Structures are given as C-alpha cells and as structure tokens.
Amino acid sequence: MIKYIGSKRALLGHVAGAVAAALPDGGMVCDLFSGTARVGHRLKRDGFRVWSNDHNAYAHALATAYVQADREVWAERAEAVLAELRAVKPEAGWFTRTFCEEARFFHPDNGARIDAVRERIETMGLEPELKAVVLVALMEAADRVDSTAGLQMAYMKQWAPRALKPLELRLPDLLPGVAAGLCVATRGDAVEIAAEVEADLVYLDPPYNQHSYLANYHCWESLVLWDKPETYGVARKRVDVKTRKSAFNSRPGIGPAMQTVIERLKAPNLIISFNDEGYLSREDLVAMLASRGHVQVVDIPYPRYVGARIGIHNLKGEKVGAVGRLRNVEHLFVVTDRPVVLPVAA
C-alpha cells in the first residue's frame, strides 16, 4: 500500500488482536477514519464484516478496493483492464506539468505514463468497484516511483533512485468476500455520519494534530478525482486544501469533535488509536470514554515516520532542521461493556 504518515502497518497485530478480543464471535466493524484501509483490509482478511469510511476521495478509493471489492468478483476483470492500460502510449498532460515540471514529485517520463493511463481510465465507463481497483493500482504504481520522503509537502532536491524506474501497474491485493456479509466503503465526514453507524464495534483513528492528510497527500486526491484543480505553492497543492479543513487538525477543534463522535456512536464497543504527539492526552481520552464502559489502555512504542527520522526539509528538499525524537507511543483505548483479555499488556 502507499507510504502514509500515521499508517497502522506496524500496529495491525495489536488492533486486530483487540478487535478479536472484543468480538470473539465476529461481527461488523466500522473504521470511521479509514486512511489507507490497512485496518479494514486486515479485519476483512480475519473474517469480519467491515465498513470503512473516510472523507478524502483517495482514501475512499483505497477502501473500495481493499474492503468493498471482493476478489472473486473483480480480480479477473481488473487484470484485463490493467493489461490494456499497460499498453497505453505515454502522453504528458496536466499531471506531468503540475507534479513533474512545476513540482518534482515524479520524473516526467512517469508523469506522462500516469497522465495517459488516468485519461484512459476516465473514458472506460468502469463500474465503481472496478474503477477503484484500477485507480488504486495506478496510485500504488506512482507511489513506488515518487521522489519524496513520504509526504507530498516537499520533494527531493535530486531524483530519488526509485523515481528513475518505470511505472509498473500491479493488481492490488484484493480479498475474497466474507461469510458474515458484504463489506462496504463510504465517503463521509465522521462527525456527520457517526449517529448513522450500526456496528458491533467502531474503530477510530482520527487525525491527531496539525498535519492534514489532504495537504500531505494532495497528489493522490487530484489523481483520483481527476478534476485538474487550480494549484498553489512550491508543492502545487490543490487550492481546496485551504478550505477543506478538519476540526481534528485544530487544537481547539479536536476535543469537541472527538467528544461529539464518541457521544453519537451507538456501537457497544469502541477502539481508539491515538498518538502521543496528538492534541489530546491519554487522560483526556480516558475521561471522554469513561461513560461508555470499561476502558483499557495499551501503550505501544514504535519508530516515527521516515520523514521525521531523516530530519526537517524545506519545500525544495533542502535539510533545514535537526532530527528530533525517534520513537512515538501509540495509545490503544479499548472500550467494552466488560473487561476483555487483550493480546498485549494493558
């Protein structure tokens, strides 16, 4: 899957173990801030029925491919489409001009491939699930040849070695359907849809500080929407980055937003993942959750994202600051109507 700040790849075992402990007989799990859909993908693999939601279009595409789309329905058809797209002749366009020339996130040779493939996808009239699978294949192919430290806020001063490799389309790791029922992906604001959620357990992994996922991954948003928006700044961010704000990226806004989501959810079990660099403290969240049931907290240390470990760079890729701390602590809050035995020390 794509490189992603806040990705739960290293924490999947802890999250999946906590879900299994809370729902030993299985059930429906809603991931309200799905991001890369890593958690939903793992839970679907484990046999849970999954509902993945996010408000960004690229995240919705990832969830549609990795959670909603069943392998036995879409894999063969997607591979046929990818075979056709691999033969498309490169042709530079909006993506190349914006992200390879005005900015340097991708080499122009790959930019021309991305432009041509994305234009062809738009003309093919694909069903939503099939289009999402193909878009995710293109997104992941582009991610493998980017020239960044993992965020689309800056690019390398010199081309990263991987940026010189040719774009390669691969079929995403689609999963078979689960016996519990159809999995689903939606695109909505977590605060607005929280009251509509019907699930046995809700997993919350919200943004936790000032870092906006839309700003950090604006190339993917534009690639999926293909609206060729007005852009600004050295990073050529979408102009709507200035207006599509989340309360979870605001120090004064995150507390009320989180409280509202917690109060509106009707699910009997909650699991919340929250970072110790976040605007809310461990104590803040325990207080918010106390009325919901029995609260257990697991503290999991892990390395910071690669951009933090290599130091601070400006928008031209020049190093301008020193490396800070190298590890974070992820707090996993498990809220149930009874104590459960977790697979890690609480």
Side-chain angles (χ1 to χ4, degrees):
M1 295 185 180
I2 60 171
K3 298 181 287 295
Y4 207 67
I5 185 174
S7 168
K8 292 299 173 283
R9 181 180 60 83
L11 305 174
L12 275 179
H14 297 281
V15 175
V19 172
L23 298 179
D25 299 321
M28 166 71 91
V29 180
C30 177
D31 180 356
L32 210 52
F33 302 84
S34 60
T36 61
R38 284 185 187 273
V39 170
H41 187 260
R42 168 61 184 269
L43 294 176
K44 182 178 181 180
R45 186 187 296 278
D46 290 348
F48 290 95
R49 189 180 181 196
V50 180
W51 172 0
S52 290
N53 175 79
D54 202 284
H55 70 118
N56 288 322
Y58 72 85
H60 178 56
L62 286 161
T64 302
Y66 282 118
V67 175
Q68 181 169 315
D70 294 334
R71 184 172 65 199
E72 61 273 23
V73 177
W74 299 110
E76 186 174 343
R77 296 174 65 185
E79 189 53 75
V81 174
L82 291 175
E84 178 179 339
L85 294 173
R86 292 183 188 111
V88 170
K89 181 181 178 181
E91 185 174 351
W94 179 87
F95 193 94
T96 304
R97 182 178 68 255
T98 306
F99 298 130
C100 308
E101 297 171 356
E102 295 174 358
R104 285 168 48 93
F105 292 112
F106 308 92
H107 192 277
D109 290 349
N110 282 322
R113 295 183 179 97
I114 294 168
D115 263 314
V117 169
R118 186 62 185 88
E119 288 287 4
R120 177 65 66 86
I121 292 170
E122 203 63 14
T123 68
M124 297 178 82
L126 304 176
E127 298 98 323
E129 289 92 341
L130 184 55
K131 185 175 183 179
V133 171
V134 173
L135 285 175
V136 167
L138 179 58
M139 193 191 316
E140 292 180 346
D143 184 65
R144 288 191 292 269
V145 296
D146 75 345
S147 193
T148 77
L151 302 178
Q152 293 161 358
M153 299 289 282
Y155 41 83
M156 300 297 187
K157 189 174 182 180
Q158 303 295 330
W159 290 116
R162 65 176 176 269
L164 304 178
K165 297 179 180 180
L167 189 85
E168 180 187 1
L169 294 172
R170 304 173 190 170
L171 181 70
D173 181 19
L174 306 182
L175 295 175
V178 297
L182 294 174
C183 296
V184 65
T186 57
R187 184 183 176 197
D189 180 270
V191 176
E192 294 176 1
I193 73 168
E196 304 170 17
V197 171
E198 295 182 6
D200 300 299
L201 183 149
V202 175
Y203 173 68
L204 303 177
D205 180 21
Y208 51 85
N209 57 25
Q210 75 275 16
H211 297 298
S212 160
Y213 286 101
L214 176 61
N216 283 331
Y217 301 101
H218 60 91
C219 296
W220 303 149
E221 191 76 354
S222 294
L223 183 66
V224 168
L225 290 175
W226 206 235
D227 52 354
K228 304 176 184 176
E230 178 186 349
T231 60
Y232 71 97
V234 176
R236 309 316 297 161
K237 288 184 285 188
R238 303 171 54 87
V239 70
D240 62 1
V241 167
K242 297 179 179 180
T243 56
R244 283 171 57 187
K245 300 293 186 181
S246 170
F248 290 89
N249 292 129
S250 161
R251 189 180 293 275
I254 190 172
M258 193 67 168
Q259 184 74 56
T260 299
V261 170
I262 290 170
E263 290 175 353
R264 289 180 176 177
L265 289 171
K266 302 181 181 68
N269 304 286
L270 300 179
I271 295 178
I272 298 177
S273 182
F274 208 82
N275 191 281
D276 69 342
E277 287 188 318
Y279 287 146
L280 298 175
S281 69
R282 191 181 194 273
E283 293 71 26
D284 291 334
L285 282 161
V286 168
M288 287 184 188
L289 295 166
S291 63
R292 292 294 308 238
H294 183 79
V295 181
Q296 295 171 267
V297 187
V298 179
D299 296 324
I300 308 162
Y302 69 103
R304 297 184 75 197
Y305 75 98
V306 63
R309 299 200 302 273
I310 67 174
I312 302 169
H313 294 71
N314 65 18
L315 291 174
K316 295 181 179 179
E318 299 164 340
K319 192 169 184 179
V320 294
V323 175
R325 61 175 178 160
L326 299 178
R327 299 182 71 79
N328 285 343
V329 175
E330 191 79 14
H331 304 302
L332 204 63
F333 302 83
V334 182
V335 187
T336 54
D337 58 4
R338 71 208 183 285
V340 298
V341 178
L342 298 174
V344 284

